[in-house]
């Protein structure tokens, strides 16, 4: 298979928008949505364990319309335990550490495969505009308006700034 690293423009951080098990989410993707690929390459549990769901070279279903340009990760949670309709930054310290490690792994893979990171941004799902040409399958189970329940662009900006001094001037994908 051709390597897709050079096409990657976005490292995208998601939240699960729920607290269910990995198995229940995977079952939902497969059974209810009929997806052949997972929603994310990596899913991060409360204790910081990074579950690799897909090789980085395979696109996953995180942002309809943009997946060929994205590497996706998600942390378990992102909504209140007591009310899953309320977005909340529920990241544990272990999850925060693991997200950083995952970002660095993704950057390493991109560099190793010929992407110089000059056009790569780290963003949250909500930074993408809604793609009217797609069926909105994602929106039905993950409320993308708030995903990942914190500002990933702001939080990880300094990482990409080191790689590309012009990063701060790059335009974010259009807001919803
Ligand atoms: Zn998302």
């Amino acid at each position: 298979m051709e390597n897709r690293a050079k096409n990657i423009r976005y490292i995208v951080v998601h939240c699960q928008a729920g607290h269910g098990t990995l198995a229940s989410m995977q079952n939902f993707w497969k059974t209810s949505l009929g997806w052949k690929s997972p929603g994310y390459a990596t899913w991060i549990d409360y204790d910081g364990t990074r579950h690799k769901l897909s090789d980085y070279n395979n696109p996953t279903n995180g942002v309809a319309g943009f997946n060929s340009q994205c590497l996706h990760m998600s942390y378990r949670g992102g909504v209140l335990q007591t009310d899953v309709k309320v977005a909340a930054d529920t990241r544990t310290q272990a999850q925060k550490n693991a997200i950083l490690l995952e970002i660095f792994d993704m950057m390493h893979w991109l560099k190793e495969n010929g992407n110089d990171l000059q056009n790569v941004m780290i963003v949250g799902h909500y930074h993408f505009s809604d793609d009217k040409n797609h069926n909105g399958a994602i929106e039905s189970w993950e409320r993308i308006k708030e995903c990942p329940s914190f500002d990933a662009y702001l939080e990880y900006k300094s990482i990409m700034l080191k790689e590309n001094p012009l990063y701060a001037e790059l335009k974010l994908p259009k807001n919803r």
Side-chain angles (χ1 to χ4, degrees):
M1 187 195 293
E2 201 184 331
N3 193 286
R4 73 187 193 101
K6 283 180 181 163
N7 301 329
I8 299 297
R9 296 280 322 275
Y10 307 104
I11 291 172
V12 189
V13 184
H14 298 257
C15 66
Q16 183 180 340
H19 290 275
T21 62
L22 175 57
S24 70
M25 185 172 60
Q26 287 176 306
N27 184 55
F28 185 76
W29 289 338
K30 204 177 282 180
T31 310
S32 299
L33 302 181
W35 287 357
K36 291 190 174 67
S37 307
Y40 326 108
T42 307
W43 180 82
I44 300 168
D45 210 343
Y46 304 131
D47 67 357
T49 303
R50 289 184 286 158
H51 295 263
K52 302 284 185 179
L53 309 183
S54 176
D55 189 281
Y56 293 154
N57 205 36
N58 300 323
T60 52
N61 287 318
V63 182
F66 289 89
N67 291 317
S68 64
Q69 303 172 64
C70 293
L71 289 171
H72 298 292
M73 74 179 81
S74 177
Y75 70 95
R76 185 178 187 176
V79 291
L80 293 178
Q81 286 271 8
T82 48
D83 185 352
V84 296
K85 290 193 179 70
V86 180
D89 183 0
T90 61
R91 288 174 300 162
T92 63
Q93 188 57 52
Q95 283 175 314
K96 289 179 181 176
N97 297 345
I99 291 171
L100 277 174
L101 290 174
E102 186 62 24
I103 286 173
F104 291 131
D105 277 0
M106 287 176 168
M107 288 168 65
H108 182 74
W109 179 79
L110 289 170
K111 277 186 176 175
E112 274 200 327
N113 290 286
N115 185 320
D116 63 9
L117 301 179
Q118 296 301 296
N119 288 302
V120 174
M121 309 181 71
I122 303 165
V123 293
H125 189 174
Y126 76 85
H127 289 109
F128 290 86
S129 58
D130 196 7
D131 189 337
K132 306 287 185 210
N133 296 324
H134 289 74
N135 63 12
I138 286 179
E139 286 85 342
S140 68
W141 65 279
E142 191 201 62
R143 286 170 303 288
I144 79 167
K145 206 174 146 215
E146 289 107 359
C147 179
S149 302
F150 70 97
D151 188 341
Y153 173 74
L154 199 65
E155 184 155 332
Y156 305 121
K157 194 173 160 180
S158 60
I159 296 171
M160 292 310 293
L161 218 45
K162 285 184 196 125
E163 301 292 334
N164 175 10
L166 295 176
Y167 180 69
E169 296 167 24
L170 291 178
K171 293 266 191 300
L172 284 166
K174 206 194 292 175
N175 263 303
R176 281 168 65 83

